[in-house]
Amino acid sequence: MIPTAFPRQDARTLADDGDALRFCSTCAFSDACLSQGMDKSSLQDLHVLVEHVGPLAAGDHVFREGDRFEAIAAVRAGTVKTYVIDRDGREHVLGFHLPGEVIGLNAIDGDHYPCNAVALDTVMLCRFSFPQIELLATRVPGLQRQLFRLMSRDIGRAALLAGDFTADQRTAAFLVGFSRRLAARGFSPHRFQLTMARTDIANYLRLAPETVSRVLKRFQQDGLVSVDRRELELLNPAALEALAAPVLRE
């Protein structure tokens, strides 16, 4: 069976609602709960079933910097961009969140969200009330560990681009990382759409937009990728992974 090309959805990639015992596959905490022998029915009394939010249209904000922190959310479909605006009005992209990934974790330490989160396409979310998660953590010892794991993953991704890497290495690492994250969710690792603008990718990689365009053009000339507007195919994943290795620390 040919894997679906992101962002198109099918039964294999769009999370269902689960059932009386089983959690939805985008539930950020299902593994932690099930490892403790707790299924959906045993958690009904804590009212921890998720709230479905959406669909949100491109440009709709999930939350804005300074909004009161009340919940974290798992992306069920679509892409969410997180960013901040500095004092001079310049935007700084912090990351792109794909199906199955969690947003809002960087607000746990405070009472307000420290960044903005905006939908880049049609987005659906599963929202988790954080006070309810804190209550659940008293019943499920593995839950706090899972929260730490998710936070550590976000920190690790943010730190990857902090080194003195070339534009080719940064761009290759972005494409390889994007591919791996999609594959983990059931999408094709080799054919996908870049749902974010080139300017957003460049901002995230701390490169000029023309530099990203130039690198992608060179990658295409060298037979590493095929690019048609936002549609992208990895033609030589092994070469891209070798180029990305210093950034991904492999």
Side-chain angles (χ1 to χ4, degrees):
M1 186 178 296
I2 299 175
T4 301
F6 181 78
R8 291 183 288 276
Q9 301 280 349
D10 63 18
R12 295 166 296 167
T13 59
L14 180 62
D16 57 24
D17 296 335
D19 53 34
L21 298 178
R22 183 174 56 84
F23 291 88
C24 162
S25 59
T26 55
C27 176
F29 312 110
S30 58
D31 289 343
C33 294
L34 293 175
S35 68
Q36 301 296 319
M38 305 185 73
D39 55 29
K40 250 187 176 182
S41 62
S42 66
L43 299 174
Q44 292 277 3
D45 58 326
L46 294 178
H47 307 291
V48 297
L49 298 182
V50 299
E51 172 193 1
H52 289 175
V53 178
L56 304 178
D60 288 347
H61 276 76
V62 182
F63 53 76
R64 294 181 183 272
E65 182 177 0
D67 286 352
R68 184 170 181 80
F69 171 59
E70 296 178 340
I72 61 176
V75 181
R76 189 172 178 227
T79 311
V80 175
K81 177 181 76 173
T82 50
Y83 69 97
V84 294
I85 303 292
D86 66 21
R87 293 181 179 180
D88 297 322
R90 293 188 295 261
E91 180 177 309
H92 299 274
V93 177
L94 302 179
F96 306 103
H97 302 264
L98 305 175
E101 297 178 351
V102 179
I103 57 175
L105 291 169
N106 57 353
I108 288 177
D109 187 45
D111 296 326
H112 299 85
Y113 292 103
C115 65
N116 307 283
V118 64
L120 294 183
D121 50 6
T122 302
V123 166
M124 297 168 62
L125 303 169
C126 293
R127 186 176 184 271
F128 299 82
S129 164
F130 196 71
Q132 291 172 347
I133 291 175
E134 289 184 301
L135 178 61
L136 177 58
T138 65
R139 292 274 301 274
V140 186
L143 180 56
Q144 191 174 64
R145 189 180 310 112
Q146 176 71 354
L147 277 172
F148 289 151
R149 184 179 297 116
L150 291 169
M151 293 172 69
S152 176
R153 188 180 304 163
D154 272 8
I155 293 170
R157 284 178 184 155
L160 283 180
L161 298 170
D164 185 19
F165 304 112
T166 67
D168 285 19
Q169 289 172 329
R170 289 170 181 264
T171 305
F174 175 77
L175 296 178
V176 170
F178 200 79
S179 167
R180 290 176 180 177
R181 290 159 64 192
L182 291 177
R185 190 70 188 89
F187 291 98
S188 168
H190 298 138
R191 295 179 61 90
F192 48 84
Q193 185 182 119
L194 295 172
T195 47
M196 63 292 296
R198 292 283 194 278
T199 51
D200 281 342
I201 296 173
N203 188 313
Y204 174 67
L205 296 177
R206 307 302 182 253
L207 298 171
E210 55 269 23
T211 300
V212 171
S213 295
R214 187 165 58 248
V215 169
L216 288 175
K217 184 176 181 179
R218 185 167 61 253
F219 282 0
Q220 183 161 248
Q221 292 171 341
D222 292 343
L224 302 183
V225 302
S226 173
V227 183
D228 182 9
R229 298 182 182 178
R230 293 196 176 190
E231 300 289 334
L232 190 139
E233 182 178 3
L234 305 188
L235 301 177
N236 192 339
L240 286 171
E241 289 179 3
L243 189 56
V247 183
L248 300 178
R249 298 176 185 174
E250 298 175 341

